[in-house]
Coordinates of all heavy atoms in Angstrom, one line a residue:
M1 N 105.7 140.6 94.0 CA 105.9 139.5 95.0 C 106.0 138.2 94.2 O 105.2 138.0 93.3 CB 104.8 139.5 96.0 CG 105.0 138.3 96.9 SD 103.6 138.1 98.0 CE 103.8 136.5 98.5
L2 N 107.0 137.4 94.5 CA 107.1 136.1 93.8 C 106.1 135.2 94.3 O 105.9 135.0 95.5 CB 108.5 135.6 94.1 CG 108.8 134.2 93.5 CD1 108.9 134.3 92.0 CD2 110.1 133.7 94.1
L3 N 105.3 134.6 93.3 CA 104.4 133.5 93.7 C 105.0 132.1 93.5 O 104.7 131.2 94.3 CB 103.1 133.7 92.8 CG 102.3 135.0 93.0 CD1 101.1 135.0 92.1 CD2 101.9 135.2 94.4
T4 N 105.7 131.9 92.4 CA 106.4 130.7 92.2 C 107.4 130.8 91.1 O 107.4 131.8 90.4 CB 105.3 129.6 91.8 OG1 105.9 128.3 91.9 CG2 104.8 129.7 90.4
E5 N 108.2 129.8 91.0 CA 109.2 129.8 89.9 C 109.3 128.3 89.4 O 109.1 127.4 90.1 CB 110.6 130.3 90.3 CG 111.0 129.8 91.7 CD 112.2 130.6 92.3 OE1 112.7 131.5 91.6 OE2 112.5 130.4 93.4
T6 N 109.6 128.2 88.1 CA 109.6 126.9 87.5 C 110.5 126.9 86.2 O 111.1 128.0 85.9 CB 108.2 126.4 87.1 OG1 108.2 125.1 86.7 CG2 107.6 127.3 86.0
F7 N 110.5 125.8 85.5 CA 111.2 125.8 84.2 C 110.2 125.4 83.1 O 109.4 124.5 83.3 CB 112.4 124.8 84.2 CG 113.6 125.3 85.0 CD1 113.7 125.1 86.3 CD2 114.6 126.0 84.3 CE1 114.8 125.6 87.0 CE2 115.7 126.5 84.9 CZ 115.8 126.3 86.3
L8 N 110.3 126.2 82.0 CA 109.5 125.9 80.8 C 110.5 125.7 79.7 O 111.2 126.7 79.4 CB 108.5 127.0 80.5 CG 107.4 127.2 81.5 CD1 106.6 128.5 81.2 CD2 106.5 126.0 81.6
D9 N 110.5 124.6 79.0 CA 111.5 124.3 78.0 C 112.9 124.7 78.3 O 113.6 125.5 77.6 CB 111.1 125.1 76.7 CG 110.2 124.3 75.8 OD1 109.9 123.1 76.1 OD2 109.8 124.8 74.8
D10 N 113.3 124.3 79.5 CA 114.7 124.6 80.0 C 114.9 126.1 80.3 O 116.0 126.5 80.5 CB 115.8 124.1 79.1 CG 115.7 122.6 79.0 OD1 115.4 121.9 80.1 OD2 116.0 122.0 78.0
S11 N 113.9 126.9 80.2 CA 114.0 128.4 80.5 C 113.4 128.6 81.9 O 112.3 128.2 82.3 CB 113.2 129.2 79.5 OG 113.7 129.1 78.3
Y12 N 114.2 129.3 82.8 CA 113.8 129.7 84.1 C 112.6 130.6 84.0 O 112.7 131.6 83.2 CB 114.9 130.3 84.9 CG 114.6 130.9 86.2 CD1 114.3 130.0 87.3 CD2 114.6 132.2 86.4 CE1 113.9 130.6 88.5 CE2 114.3 132.8 87.7 CZ 113.9 131.9 88.7 OH 113.6 132.4 89.9
F13 N 111.5 130.4 84.6 CA 110.3 131.2 84.5 C 109.7 131.5 85.9 O 109.7 130.6 86.7 CB 109.3 130.4 83.7 CG 108.2 131.3 83.1 CD1 108.3 131.9 81.9 CD2 107.0 131.4 83.8 CE1 107.3 132.7 81.4 CE2 106.0 132.2 83.3 CZ 106.1 132.9 82.1
R14 N 109.3 132.8 86.1 CA 108.8 133.2 87.3 C 107.3 133.7 87.2 O 106.9 134.2 86.1 CB 109.5 134.4 87.9 CG 111.0 134.1 88.2 CD 111.8 135.3 88.4 NE 111.3 136.2 89.4 CZ 111.7 136.2 90.7 NH1 112.7 135.4 91.1 NH2 111.2 137.1 91.6
I15 N 106.5 133.5 88.2 CA 105.2 134.1 88.3 C 105.2 135.1 89.5 O 105.5 134.7 90.6 CB 104.1 133.1 88.4 CG1 104.1 132.2 87.2 CG2 102.7 133.8 88.6 CD1 103.1 131.1 87.3
E16 N 105.0 136.4 89.2 CA 105.0 137.4 90.2 C 103.6 138.1 90.2 O 102.8 138.0 89.3 CB 106.1 138.4 89.9 CG 107.4 137.8 90.0 CD 108.5 138.8 89.8 OE1 108.3 140.0 89.5 OE2 109.7 138.4 89.9
S17 N 103.4 138.8 91.3 CA 102.1 139.5 91.4 C 102.3 141.0 91.7 O 103.2 141.3 92.5 CB 101.3 138.8 92.5 OG 100.0 139.5 92.7
T18 N 101.4 141.8 91.2 CA 101.4 143.2 91.6 C 100.8 143.3 93.0 O 100.1 142.4 93.4 CB 100.6 144.1 90.6 OG1 99.3 143.6 90.6 CG2 101.2 144.0 89.2
T19 N 101.0 144.4 93.7 CA 100.3 144.6 95.0 C 98.8 144.6 94.8 O 98.1 144.1 95.6 CB 100.8 146.0 95.6 OG1 102.2 145.9 95.7 CG2 100.2 146.2 96.9
H20 N 98.4 145.3 93.7 CA 96.9 145.3 93.4 C 96.3 143.9 93.3 O 95.3 143.6 93.9 CB 96.7 146.1 92.1 CG 95.3 146.0 91.6 ND1 94.3 146.8 92.1 CD2 94.7 145.2 90.7 CE1 93.2 146.5 91.5 NE2 93.4 145.5 90.6
A21 N 97.0 143.0 92.6 CA 96.5 141.7 92.4 C 96.5 140.9 93.8 O 95.5 140.2 94.1 CB 97.3 140.9 91.4
L22 N 97.5 141.1 94.6 CA 97.5 140.5 95.9 C 96.4 141.0 96.8 O 95.7 140.2 97.4 CB 98.8 140.8 96.6 CG 100.1 140.0 96.1 CD1 101.3 140.6 96.8 CD2 99.9 138.5 96.3
E23 N 96.1 142.2 96.7 CA 94.9 142.8 97.4 C 93.6 142.2 97.0 O 92.8 141.9 97.8 CB 94.9 144.3 97.3 CG 96.0 145.0 98.1 CD 96.2 146.5 97.7 OE1 95.5 147.0 96.8 OE2 97.0 147.1 98.4
R24 N 93.5 142.1 95.6 CA 92.2 141.5 95.1 C 92.1 140.0 95.5 O 91.0 139.5 95.9 CB 92.2 141.5 93.6 CG 92.2 142.9 93.0 CD 90.9 143.8 93.3 NE 91.0 144.5 94.6 CZ 91.7 145.6 94.8 NH1 92.4 146.2 93.9 NH2 91.7 146.2 96.0
M25 N 93.2 139.3 95.5 CA 93.2 137.8 95.9 C 92.7 137.7 97.4 O 91.9 136.9 97.7 CB 94.5 137.2 95.7 CG 94.8 136.8 94.3 SD 96.4 135.9 94.1 CE 97.5 137.3 93.7
E26 N 93.3 138.6 98.2 CA 93.0 138.6 99.6 C 91.5 139.0 99.9 O 90.8 138.3 100.6 CB 93.9 139.5 100.4 CG 93.7 139.5 101.9 CD 94.7 140.3 102.6 OE1 95.9 140.3 102.3 OE2 94.3 141.0 103.6
E27 N 91.1 140.1 99.2 CA 89.7 140.5 99.4 C 88.7 139.4 98.9 O 87.6 139.3 99.5 CB 89.4 141.7 98.5 CG 90.0 143.0 99.0 CD 89.8 144.1 98.0 OE1 89.2 144.0 96.9 OE2 90.4 145.2 98.3
R28 N 89.0 138.7 97.9 CA 88.1 137.8 97.3 C 88.3 136.3 97.7 O 87.7 135.4 97.2 CB 88.2 137.9 95.7 CG 87.8 139.3 95.3 CD 88.1 139.6 93.9 NE 87.7 140.9 93.5 CZ 88.1 141.7 92.6 NH1 89.1 141.2 91.8 NH2 87.7 142.9 92.3
E29 N 89.3 136.2 98.7 CA 89.6 134.9 99.3 C 90.0 133.9 98.2 O 89.5 132.7 98.2 CB 88.5 134.4 100.1 CG 88.2 135.3 101.3 CD 87.0 134.9 102.2 OE1 86.3 133.9 101.9 OE2 86.8 135.5 103.2
I30 N 90.9 134.3 97.3 CA 91.4 133.4 96.2 C 92.8 133.1 96.6 O 93.6 133.9 96.8 CB 91.3 134.2 94.9 CG1 89.8 134.5 94.6 CG2 91.9 133.3 93.8 CD1 89.7 135.5 93.4
E31 N 93.1 131.8 96.6 CA 94.4 131.3 97.0 C 95.4 131.5 95.9 O 95.1 131.3 94.7 CB 94.3 129.9 97.4 CG 93.5 129.6 98.7 CD 93.6 128.2 99.2 OE1 94.5 127.5 98.7 OE2 92.7 127.9 100.0
K32 N 96.6 131.9 96.3 CA 97.7 132.2 95.4 C 98.0 130.9 94.6 O 98.4 131.0 93.4 CB 99.0 132.6 96.1 CG 98.8 133.9 96.8 CD 100.0 134.3 97.7 CE 99.7 135.4 98.6 NZ 100.7 135.7 99.6
E33 N 97.9 129.7 95.2 CA 98.2 128.5 94.5 C 97.3 128.2 93.4 O 97.7 127.7 92.3 CB 98.2 127.3 95.5 CG 99.2 127.3 96.6 CD 98.9 128.3 97.8 OE1 97.8 128.8 97.9 OE2 99.9 128.5 98.6
L34 N 96.0 128.6 93.5 CA 95.0 128.4 92.4 C 95.4 129.4 91.3 O 95.4 129.0 90.1 CB 93.6 128.7 93.0 CG 92.5 128.6 91.9 CD1 92.5 127.3 91.2 CD2 91.2 128.9 92.5
V35 N 95.7 130.6 91.6 CA 96.1 131.6 90.6 C 97.3 131.1 89.8 O 97.3 131.1 88.6 CB 96.4 133.0 91.2 CG1 97.0 133.9 90.2 CG2 95.1 133.5 91.8
T36 N 98.3 130.6 90.5 CA 99.5 130.1 89.8 C 99.2 128.8 89.0 O 99.7 128.7 87.9 CB 100.7 129.8 90.8 OG1 100.3 128.8 91.7 CG2 101.2 131.0 91.4
A37 N 98.3 128.0 89.5 CA 97.9 126.8 88.7 C 97.2 127.2 87.4 O 97.4 126.6 86.3 CB 97.1 125.9 89.5
I38 N 96.4 128.2 87.5 CA 95.7 128.7 86.3 C 96.7 129.2 85.3 O 96.6 128.9 84.1 CB 94.6 129.8 86.7 CG1 93.5 129.1 87.5 CG2 94.1 130.5 85.5 CD1 92.5 130.1 88.1
I39 N 97.6 130.0 85.7 CA 98.6 130.5 84.8 C 99.5 129.4 84.2 O 99.7 129.4 83.0 CB 99.5 131.6 85.5 CG1 98.6 132.8 85.9 CG2 100.7 132.0 84.6 CD1 99.3 133.7 86.9
L40 N 99.9 128.5 85.0 CA 100.8 127.4 84.5 C 100.1 126.5 83.6 O 100.7 125.7 82.8 CB 101.4 126.7 85.7 CG 102.5 127.5 86.5 CD1 102.9 126.7 87.7 CD2 103.7 127.8 85.6
S41 N 98.7 126.5 83.6 CA 98.0 125.6 82.7 C 98.2 126.0 81.3 O 98.0 125.3 80.3 CB 96.5 125.6 83.1 OG 95.9 126.8 82.7
L42 N 98.7 127.3 81.1 CA 99.0 127.7 79.7 C 100.2 127.1 79.1 O 100.4 127.1 77.9 CB 99.1 129.2 79.7 CG 97.9 130.1 80.0 CD1 98.2 131.5 79.9 CD2 96.8 129.7 79.0
D43 N 101.1 126.6 80.0 CA 102.3 125.9 79.7 C 103.1 126.6 78.6 O 103.5 127.7 78.8 CB 101.9 124.4 79.3 CG 103.1 123.5 79.3 OD1 104.0 123.6 80.1 OD2 103.2 122.6 78.4
Q44 N 103.3 126.0 77.4 CA 104.1 126.6 76.4 C 103.6 127.9 75.8 O 104.4 128.7 75.3 CB 104.3 125.6 75.2 CG 104.9 124.3 75.6 CD 106.3 124.5 76.2 OE1 107.1 125.2 75.6 NE2 106.6 123.9 77.4
K45 N 102.3 128.2 76.0 CA 101.8 129.4 75.5 C 102.4 130.6 76.2 O 102.5 131.7 75.7 CB 100.3 129.5 75.6 CG 99.6 128.6 74.6 CD 98.1 128.7 74.8 CE 97.4 127.8 73.8 NZ 95.9 127.9 73.9
L46 N 102.8 130.4 77.5 CA 103.5 131.4 78.2 C 104.7 131.9 77.5 O 105.0 133.1 77.5 CB 103.8 131.0 79.7 CG 102.7 130.8 80.6 CD1 103.1 130.0 81.9 CD2 102.0 132.1 80.9
L47 N 105.5 131.0 77.0 CA 106.7 131.3 76.2 C 106.3 132.1 74.9 O 107.0 133.0 74.5 CB 107.5 130.1 75.9 CG 108.1 129.4 77.1 CD1 108.8 128.1 76.7 CD2 109.0 130.2 77.9
K48 N 105.2 131.7 74.3 CA 104.8 132.4 73.1 C 104.4 133.8 73.4 O 104.7 134.7 72.5 CB 103.6 131.6 72.5 CG 103.0 132.2 71.2 CD 101.8 131.5 70.8 CE 100.6 132.3 71.2 NZ 99.3 131.8 70.7
Y49 N 103.9 134.1 74.5 CA 103.5 135.5 74.9 C 104.6 136.3 75.4 O 104.5 137.5 75.6 CB 102.3 135.5 75.9 CG 101.0 135.0 75.3 CD1 100.3 134.0 75.8 CD2 100.5 135.7 74.2 CE1 99.1 133.6 75.3 CE2 99.2 135.4 73.7 CZ 98.6 134.3 74.2 OH 97.4 133.9 73.7
N50 N 105.8 135.7 75.7 CA 106.9 136.4 76.3 C 107.3 137.6 75.5 O 107.5 137.5 74.3 CB 108.1 135.5 76.5 CG 109.2 136.1 77.4 OD1 108.9 136.6 78.4 ND2 110.4 136.0 76.9
D51 N 107.3 138.8 76.1 CA 107.8 140.0 75.5 C 106.9 140.5 74.3 O 107.4 141.3 73.5 CB 109.3 139.9 75.1 CG 110.2 139.9 76.3 OD1 109.8 140.4 77.4 OD2 111.3 139.3 76.2
T52 N 105.7 140.1 74.3 CA 104.8 140.6 73.2 C 104.2 141.9 73.6 O 103.6 142.6 72.8 CB 103.6 139.6 72.9 OG1 102.8 139.4 74.1 CG2 104.1 138.3 72.4
G53 N 104.2 142.2 74.9 CA 103.5 143.5 75.4 C 102.0 143.3 75.5 O 101.4 144.3 75.8
E54 N 101.5 142.2 75.3 CA 100.0 142.0 75.4 C 99.6 141.6 76.8 O 100.3 140.9 77.5 CB 99.6 140.8 74.4 CG 99.9 141.1 73.0 CD 99.5 139.9 72.1 OE1 100.0 138.8 72.3 OE2 98.6 140.1 71.2
E55 N 98.4 142.1 77.1 CA 97.8 141.6 78.3 C 97.0 140.3 77.9 O 96.4 140.3 76.8 CB 96.8 142.6 78.9 CG 97.4 143.6 79.7 CD 96.4 144.5 80.5 OE1 95.2 144.2 80.4 OE2 96.8 145.5 81.1
I56 N 97.0 139.3 78.8 CA 96.3 138.1 78.5 C 95.3 137.9 79.7 O 95.6 137.9 80.8 CB 97.2 136.9 78.4 CG1 98.3 137.1 77.3 CG2 96.5 135.6 78.2 CD1 99.6 137.5 77.8
A57 N 94.0 137.6 79.3 CA 93.0 137.3 80.3 C 92.9 135.8 80.2 O 92.4 135.2 79.2 CB 91.7 137.9 79.9
V58 N 93.2 135.1 81.3 CA 93.1 133.7 81.4 C 91.9 133.4 82.2 O 91.8 133.7 83.4 CB 94.4 133.1 82.1 CG1 94.3 131.5 82.1 CG2 95.7 133.6 81.6
V59 N 90.9 132.8 81.5 CA 89.6 132.6 82.1 C 89.4 131.1 82.4 O 89.5 130.3 81.6 CB 88.5 133.1 81.1 CG1 87.1 132.7 81.7 CG2 88.6 134.6 80.9
D60 N 89.1 130.9 83.7 CA 88.9 129.5 84.2 C 87.5 129.3 84.5 O 87.0 129.8 85.5 CB 89.8 129.3 85.4 CG 89.7 127.9 86.0 OD1 88.7 127.2 85.7 OD2 90.6 127.5 86.8
Q61 N 86.7 128.7 83.6 CA 85.3 128.5 83.8 C 85.0 127.6 85.0 O 84.1 127.8 85.8 CB 84.7 127.8 82.5 CG 84.8 128.7 81.3 CD 83.9 129.9 81.3 OE1 83.0 130.1 82.1 NE2 84.3 130.9 80.4
E62 N 85.8 126.5 85.2 CA 85.6 125.6 86.3 C 85.6 126.3 87.7 O 84.8 126.0 88.5 CB 86.6 124.5 86.2 CG 86.4 123.4 87.3 CD 87.4 122.3 87.2 OE1 87.7 121.9 86.0 OE2 87.8 121.8 88.2
N63 N 86.6 127.2 87.9 CA 86.7 127.8 89.1 C 86.1 129.2 89.2 O 86.1 129.9 90.1 CB 88.2 128.0 89.5 CG 88.8 126.6 89.9 OD1 88.4 126.0 90.9 ND2 89.7 126.2 89.1
N64 N 85.4 129.6 88.0 CA 84.8 130.9 87.9 C 85.7 132.0 88.2 O 85.3 132.9 89.0 CB 83.5 130.9 88.7 CG 82.5 132.0 88.3 OD1 82.5 132.4 87.1 ND2 81.8 132.6 89.2
L65 N 86.9 132.1 87.6 CA 87.9 133.1 87.9 C 88.5 133.6 86.5 O 88.5 132.9 85.6 CB 89.0 132.5 88.7 CG 88.8 132.2 90.1 CD1 90.0 131.6 90.7 CD2 88.4 133.4 90.9
A66 N 89.0 134.8 86.6 CA 89.8 135.3 85.5 C 91.0 135.9 86.1 O 91.0 136.7 87.1 CB 89.0 136.4 84.7
V67 N 92.2 135.6 85.5 CA 93.5 136.1 85.9 C 94.0 136.9 84.7 O 94.2 136.4 83.6 CB 94.4 135.0 86.3 CG1 95.7 135.5 86.7 CG2 93.8 134.1 87.4
I68 N 94.3 138.2 85.0 CA 94.9 139.0 83.9 C 96.4 139.1 84.2 O 96.9 139.5 85.2 CB 94.3 140.5 84.0 CG1 92.7 140.4 84.0 CG2 94.7 141.3 82.8 CD1 92.0 139.7 82.9
I69 N 97.2 138.8 83.1 CA 98.6 138.8 83.2 C 99.3 139.5 82.0 O 98.6 139.7 81.0 CB 99.2 137.3 83.3 CG1 98.9 136.5 82.0 CG2 98.6 136.6 84.5 CD1 99.6 135.2 81.9
E70 N 100.5 139.8 82.2 CA 101.4 140.2 81.1 C 102.7 139.4 81.3 O 103.1 139.1 82.4 CB 101.7 141.7 81.2 CG 102.6 142.2 80.1 CD 102.9 143.6 80.2 OE1 102.0 144.4 80.6 OE2 104.0 144.0 79.8
V71 N 103.2 138.9 80.2 CA 104.4 138.1 80.2 C 105.6 138.8 79.6 O 105.6 139.2 78.4 CB 104.2 136.7 79.5 CG1 105.4 135.8 79.7 CG2 103.0 136.0 80.0
R72 N 106.6 139.1 80.4 CA 107.8 139.8 79.9 C 109.1 139.2 80.7 O 109.0 138.9 81.8 CB 107.7 141.3 80.1 CG 107.5 141.7 81.5 CD 107.3 143.3 81.5 NE 107.1 143.7 82.9 CZ 105.9 143.9 83.4 NH1 104.8 143.7 82.7 NH2 105.8 144.4 84.7
D73 N 110.2 139.2 80.0 CA 111.4 138.7 80.6 C 111.3 137.4 81.3 O 111.8 137.2 82.4 CB 112.0 139.8 81.5 CG 112.3 141.1 80.8 OD1 112.8 141.0 79.7 OD2 112.1 142.1 81.5
F74 N 110.5 136.4 80.6 CA 110.3 135.1 81.2 C 109.7 135.2 82.6 O 110.0 134.4 83.5 CB 111.6 134.3 81.2 CG 112.1 134.0 79.8 CD1 113.1 134.8 79.2 CD2 111.5 133.0 79.0 CE1 113.5 134.5 77.9 CE2 112.0 132.7 77.7 CZ 113.0 133.5 77.2
K75 N 108.7 136.1 82.7 CA 108.0 136.3 84.0 C 106.6 136.7 83.7 O 106.3 137.6 82.9 CB 108.7 137.5 84.7 CG 108.1 137.9 86.0 CD 108.9 139.0 86.7 CE 109.4 140.1 85.8 NZ 110.2 141.1 86.5
A76 N 105.7 135.9 84.2 CA 104.2 136.3 84.1 C 103.9 137.2 85.3 O 104.1 136.8 86.5 CB 103.4 135.0 84.1
V77 N 103.4 138.4 85.1 CA 103.1 139.3 86.1 C 101.5 139.3 86.2 O 100.9 139.6 85.2 CB 103.6 140.7 85.9 CG1 103.2 141.7 87.0 CG2 105.1 140.7 85.8
V78 N 101.0 139.0 87.4 CA 99.6 139.0 87.6 C 99.2 140.4 87.9 O 99.6 141.1 88.8 CB 99.2 138.1 88.8 CG1 97.6 138.1 89.0 CG2 99.7 136.7 88.6
I79 N 98.3 141.0 87.0 CA 97.9 142.4 87.1 C 96.7 142.4 88.0 O 96.6 143.3 88.9 CB 97.6 142.9 85.7 CG1 98.8 142.9 84.9 CG2 96.9 144.3 85.8 CD1 98.6 143.2 83.4
T80 N 95.7 141.5 87.8 CA 94.6 141.5 88.7 C 93.9 140.1 88.6 O 94.2 139.3 87.7 CB 93.5 142.6 88.4 OG1 92.6 142.7 89.5 CG2 92.8 142.3 87.1
V81 N 93.1 139.8 89.6 CA 92.3 138.6 89.6 C 90.8 138.9 89.9 O 90.5 139.7 90.8 CB 92.8 137.7 90.8 CG1 92.0 136.4 90.8 CG2 94.3 137.4 90.6
I82 N 90.0 138.4 89.0 CA 88.5 138.7 89.1 C 87.8 137.5 89.5 O 88.0 136.4 88.9 CB 88.1 139.2 87.7 CG1 88.9 140.4 87.3 CG2 86.6 139.6 87.7 CD1 88.8 140.9 85.8
D83 N 86.9 137.6 90.4 CA 86.2 136.4 91.0 C 84.9 136.1 90.2 O 83.9 135.7 90.7 CB 85.8 136.7 92.4 CG 85.0 137.9 92.7 OD1 84.8 138.7 91.7 OD2 84.5 138.1 93.8
R84 N 85.1 136.1 88.9 CA 84.0 135.5 88.0 C 84.7 135.3 86.6 O 85.7 136.0 86.3 CB 82.9 136.5 87.8 CG 83.2 137.8 87.3 CD 81.9 138.8 87.3 NE 82.2 140.0 86.6 CZ 82.9 141.0 87.1 NH1 83.4 140.9 88.3 NH2 83.1 142.1 86.5
S85 N 84.1 134.4 85.8 CA 84.7 134.1 84.5 C 84.0 134.9 83.4 O 84.6 135.0 82.3 CB 84.6 132.6 84.3 OG 83.3 132.1 84.3
N86 N 82.9 135.4 83.7 CA 82.1 136.2 82.7 C 82.6 137.6 82.8 O 82.0 138.4 83.5 CB 80.6 136.0 82.9 CG 79.8 136.8 81.8 OD1 80.4 137.1 80.8 ND2 78.6 137.0 82.1
I87 N 83.7 138.0 82.1 CA 84.2 139.3 82.2 C 84.2 140.0 80.8 O 84.2 139.4 79.8 CB 85.7 139.3 82.7 CG1 86.6 138.5 81.8 CG2 85.7 138.7 84.1 CD1 88.1 138.7 82.1
H88 N 84.3 141.3 80.9 CA 84.5 142.1 79.6 C 86.0 142.1 79.3 O 86.8 142.4 80.2 CB 84.0 143.5 79.9 CG 84.4 144.5 78.7 ND1 83.7 144.5 77.5 CD2 85.4 145.4 78.6 CE1 84.3 145.3 76.7 NE2 85.3 145.9 77.4
I89 N 86.3 141.8 78.1 CA 87.7 141.8 77.6 C 87.9 143.1 76.9 O 87.3 143.3 75.8 CB 88.0 140.5 76.7 CG1 87.6 139.2 77.4 CG2 89.4 140.6 76.3 CD1 88.4 138.9 78.6
K90 N 88.8 143.9 77.4 CA 89.0 145.2 76.7 C 89.8 144.9 75.4 O 90.5 143.9 75.2 CB 89.7 146.2 77.6 CG 91.2 145.9 77.9 CD 91.8 146.9 78.8 CE 93.2 146.6 79.1 NZ 93.8 147.6 79.9
D91 N 89.7 145.9 74.5 CA 90.4 145.8 73.2 C 91.9 145.6 73.4 O 92.5 146.3 74.3 CB 90.2 147.0 72.3 CG 88.7 147.1 71.8 OD1 88.1 146.0 71.7 OD2 88.3 148.2 71.4
G92 N 92.5 144.8 72.7 CA 93.9 144.5 72.8 C 94.3 143.5 73.8 O 95.5 143.1 73.8
T93 N 93.4 143.0 74.6 CA 93.7 141.9 75.5 C 93.4 140.6 74.9 O 92.3 140.4 74.3 CB 92.8 142.1 76.8 OG1 93.2 143.3 77.4 CG2 93.1 140.9 77.8
R94 N 94.3 139.6 75.0 CA 94.1 138.3 74.4 C 93.3 137.4 75.4 O 93.5 137.6 76.6 CB 95.5 137.6 74.2 CG 96.4 138.4 73.2 CD 96.0 138.1 71.8 NE 96.6 136.9 71.4 CZ 97.0 136.6 70.2 NH1 96.9 137.5 69.3 NH2 97.5 135.4 70.0
L95 N 92.5 136.6 74.9 CA 91.7 135.7 75.7 C 92.2 134.3 75.6 O 92.4 133.8 74.5 CB 90.2 135.7 75.3 CG 89.3 134.8 76.0 CD1 89.2 135.1 77.5 CD2 87.9 134.8 75.3
E96 N 92.5 133.7 76.8 CA 92.8 132.3 76.9 C 91.8 131.6 77.8 O 91.7 132.0 79.0 CB 94.2 132.1 77.4 CG 95.3 132.4 76.4 CD 95.5 131.4 75.3 OE1 95.0 130.3 75.4 OE2 96.2 131.8 74.3
E97 N 91.1 130.7 77.3 CA 90.1 130.0 78.2 C 90.6 128.6 78.5 O 91.1 127.9 77.7 CB 88.7 129.9 77.5 CG 88.1 131.2 77.3 CD 86.7 131.1 76.8 OE1 85.8 130.9 77.6 OE2 86.5 131.2 75.6
I98 N 90.4 128.2 79.8 CA 90.8 126.9 80.2 C 89.6 126.2 80.8 O 88.6 126.9 81.3 CB 92.0 126.9 81.2 CG1 91.7 127.6 82.5 CG2 93.2 127.4 80.6 CD1 92.7 127.5 83.5
A99 N 89.5 124.9 80.8 CA 88.3 124.2 81.3 C 88.3 124.2 82.8 O 89.2 124.3 83.5 CB 88.4 122.8 80.8

């Protein structure tokens, strides 16, 4: 499901969500707008991660949330949303912390 679309360095960029992530957001009463704001706070780093095949854990200490994404084809796909910032990061997942 499309959450938002924007431009980064003149490249069309989308943020989409898996059904699983949408269910977690609904269960945990986390607004889609907050999730997209957390992802967009990475700004140019999103382009750096494009097509790397890496999962990225974006941890927002201020809102006590973690958003797990993968970036491919100029699209960030939200895999899941966790309602705490103190999470276990599995091997191979990149960590990005925001204030």
Side-chain angles (χ1 to χ4, degrees):
M1 175 185 167
L2 178 66
L3 297 179
T4 195
E5 45 196 352
T6 189
F7 283 89
L8 296 173
D9 270 357
D10 296 327
S11 296
Y12 174 71
F13 197 87
R14 297 167 55 96
I15 298 178
E16 296 183 357
S17 178
T18 62
T19 302
H20 170 82
L22 287 174
E23 290 169 354
R24 297 297 85 76
M25 285 184 262
E26 186 176 314
E27 284 173 6
R28 298 168 180 159
E29 299 179 354
I30 300 167
E31 295 187 14
K32 296 172 192 171
E33 293 80 10
L34 177 57
V35 171
T36 58
I38 290 168
I39 295 167
L40 289 173
S41 72
L42 293 178
D43 197 36
Q44 298 302 310
K45 288 182 181 181
L46 288 168
L47 296 175
K48 180 182 99 172
Y49 287 124
N50 191 49
D51 292 330
T52 62
E54 296 178 301
E55 278 189 7
I56 301 103
V58 187
V59 175
D60 180 344
Q61 299 291 343
E62 182 178 322
N63 290 295
N64 197 31
L65 290 175
V67 180
I68 312 302
I69 64 171
E70 184 179 322
V71 184
R72 58 181 179 267
D73 298 325
F74 296 97
K75 174 175 50 180
V77 178
V78 181
I79 298 167
T80 196
V81 179
I82 303 167
D83 57 351
R84 64 185 184 282
S85 58
N86 183 17
I87 63 169
H88 170 76
I89 306 293
K90 70 179 184 180
D91 288 340
T93 299
R94 301 279 281 213
L95 174 64
E96 287 287 346
E97 291 188 85
I98 61 174

